[in-house]
Amino acid sequence: MNPIKIAFFDAKEYDKNSFINSNSNGEYEIKYYETRLSEDTCPLAEGCDVVCVFVNDDVNSTVIDKLYDMGVKLIALRCAGYNNVDIEYAYGKIHVVRVPAYSPYAVAEHAMALLLTSIRRIHKAYIRTKDFNFSLNGLTGFDLHGKTVGVIGTGKIGRIFIDICRGFGMNVIAYDKFPAADSGIEYVSLNEIWERSDIISLHCPLTEENRHMINAESMEKMKKGVVILNTSRGALIDSEALVEGIKARKIGAACLDVYEEESNVFFHDYSNHIVNDDTLARLISMPNVIVTSHQAFLTNEALSNIADTTLGNIKEFFEKDTCSNEICYKCANLSNCNQAHEKKCF
Ligand code: NAI
């Protein structure tokens, strides 16, 4: 039997290393492309059975049509979020699989690392002592102990983040569209999250309904000095409103691992360029904003889980009737989806 052919888009050195390791027996023929998948780069998938994509590959309806015409059978996301794939349009044409969890610890720990860095001014202190400046002026932080953190989204990552916060002696309140029964979590309304939280951390997927959930109106309800953490998806926050909130001294600090226009800049070295995105440049210029470029997942453990699960998804899809990590727009209401009967979605 011919090996399954995979067109691997947006390939970085660390991706290649982990997939080469996982594919050490050469079971799959993988073509690595540095470019992202888009309408223009679709032809690179000619002759392939699978396209493997990441968070910023644009898998819109035109791309799906082109892939379908080429005979591509499977879109294998090597990430958890799938807001960059038109899954409703893909339904009935090309199956979509994802890696639902690769290391929720990696993301939750990164969120806490950002929070601690920000409120204890580690990012400032690091630069100062590098320059033998040992002054403490302007580095005063605050204790996390006793503060209230509002967690939005209590899935795998959100719950680990909650456990970490509890370890710090923080009070945890949470909002989830589908609250978990018997979880011991204090669920409150979104309004209460805005009003009661000293720190707000986003751990929910991006959907049409929660796009810009942090906006001028919700910020108005927040405590003065609130710290906002986003390791989820950039468009959960209206970035321009965030800039205004920080300028008005309403928002005390923001820690962003994701940004709504990140696909134009993140994962690339623009250190010798003038960045055209004024909102991002303004945010980065602020002393109480920390930006990391979608790095929260980036641990050795997560990379090797991503590679193993992605190749496992592909194997299951081609060898079995089941496809455990398949997603479709009907899965949200499982009773409408064939997954309920342990079959492929269509
Ligand atoms: P998960 O699926 O385990 O949990 C998501 C939770 O959000 C669920 O409890 C769900 O009920 C809830 N939810 C869904 N819609 C909601 C809404 N409108 N409002 C509030 N809650 C809602 O997902 P997991 O693994 O915890 O990941 C969370 C998010 O983290 C992902 O969707 C992804 O966007 C992001 N992520 C970011 C990474 C990074 O490197 N920065 C890496 C991995 C994931």
Side-chain angles (χ1 to χ4, degrees):
M1 194 178 120
N2 288 335
I4 293 166
K5 291 187 180 146
I6 306 171
F8 192 109
F9 287 88
D10 202 9
K12 301 281 183 288
E13 211 47 48
Y14 47 80
D15 292 317
K16 280 196 213 169
N17 291 340
S18 55
F19 273 79
I20 286 167
N21 253 337
S22 284
N23 188 35
S24 53
N25 60 1
E27 195 175 347
Y28 304 94
E29 192 179 315
I30 310 179
K31 291 180 185 172
Y32 295 96
Y33 298 114
E34 282 181 24
T35 183
R36 288 186 184 154
L37 177 61
S38 66
E39 292 164 29
D40 296 335
T41 60
C42 267
L44 294 170
E46 189 71 59
C48 289
D49 310 290
V50 183
V51 291
C52 182
V53 297
F54 195 50
V55 294
N56 289 321
D57 293 285
D58 186 7
V59 194
N60 59 34
S61 54
T62 313
V63 170
I64 289 166
D65 276 340
K66 287 189 177 181
L67 295 175
Y68 181 63
D69 289 345
M70 274 177 216
V72 170
K73 310 229 165 16
L74 184 66
I75 296 164
L77 282 151
R78 50 183 196 279
C79 54
Y82 48 88
N83 53 289
N84 54 326
V85 181
D86 189 338
I87 54 167
E88 188 162 350
Y89 194 82
Y91 190 84
K93 298 188 179 79
I94 308 184
H95 294 260
V96 183
V97 288
R98 66 170 181 149
V99 183
Y102 27 96
S103 173
Y105 299 97
V107 182
E109 288 171 15
H110 190 79
M112 182 47 88
L114 285 173
L115 176 59
L116 284 171
T117 303
S118 168
I119 64 155
R120 301 309 302 271
R121 313 279 190 266
I122 307 292
H123 55 309
K124 296 273 160 199
Y126 176 79
I127 291 167
R128 275 193 200 181
T129 55
K130 279 268 173 207
D131 199 28
F132 298 97
N133 173 357
F134 300 109
S135 150
L136 294 183
N137 287 333
L139 298 186
T140 309
F142 64 80
D143 291 4
L144 286 180
H145 187 269
K147 295 295 183 301
T148 297
V149 58
V151 176
I152 300 181
T154 56
K156 291 173 283 298
I157 296 170
R159 286 202 202 195
I160 294 165
F161 185 71
I162 287 173
D163 285 345
I164 294 173
C165 290
R166 286 184 174 149
F168 277 78
M170 301 170 80
N171 305 315
V172 178
I173 54 174
Y175 170 79
D176 196 297
K177 200 176 164 195
F178 309 99
D182 303 329
S183 58
I185 297 170
E186 183 190 346
Y187 285 104
V188 298
S189 66
L190 263 184
N191 269 340
E192 271 189 81
I193 293 279
W194 309 142
E195 286 160 11
R196 287 175 52 192
S197 304
D198 301 298
I199 293 135
I200 294 172
S201 195
L202 301 176
H203 299 289
C204 58
L206 172 67
T207 62
E208 269 318 303
E209 91 191 279
N210 66 13
R211 189 182 179 79
H212 284 186
M213 72 190 308
I214 295 197
N215 54 31
E217 200 186 325
S218 51
M219 277 188 252
E220 192 57 41
K221 297 175 186 160
M222 293 177 194
K223 283 186 179 178
K224 185 172 161 54
V226 63
V227 178
I228 293 177
L229 304 177
N230 190 5
T231 55
S232 215
R233 283 294 180 267
L236 292 168
I237 299 181
D238 177 343
S239 314
E240 286 178 21
L242 178 64
V243 168
E244 293 310 315
I246 298 169
K247 279 164 71 181
R249 313 292 192 270
K250 175 84 179 185
I251 307 302
C255 304
L256 311 173
D257 185 53
V258 285
Y259 170 65
E260 56 182 323
E261 301 299 331
E262 70 176 52
S263 61
N264 297 328
V265 278
F266 279 17
F267 307 122
H268 296 286
D269 178 359
Y270 286 117
S271 53
N272 282 323
H273 293 69
I274 308 292
V275 168
N276 286 327
D277 184 328
D278 287 353
T279 308
L280 179 63
R282 185 74 174 102
L283 283 168
I284 288 175
S285 77
M286 290 165 153
N288 49 354
V289 174
I290 298 178
V291 174
T292 51
S293 61
H294 211 130
Q295 173 191 335
F297 74 99
L298 196 63
T299 64
N300 290 327
E301 291 79 0
L303 288 172
S304 107
N305 286 339
I306 288 170
D308 290 348
T309 309
T310 303
L311 295 183
N313 285 344
I314 294 169
K315 192 178 180 69
E316 185 184 357
F317 177 80
F318 284 101
E319 292 183 3
K320 297 192 175 164
D321 290 337
T322 58
C323 195
S324 343
N325 290 327
E326 184 172 9
I327 37 157
C328 75
Y329 77 107
K330 293 186 176 179
C331 287
N333 183 353
L334 200 55
S335 56
N336 284 340
C337 179
N338 290 342
Q339 284 271 7
H341 312 292
E342 294 186 6
K343 293 244 180 301
K344 289 174 182 156
C345 290
F346 60 88

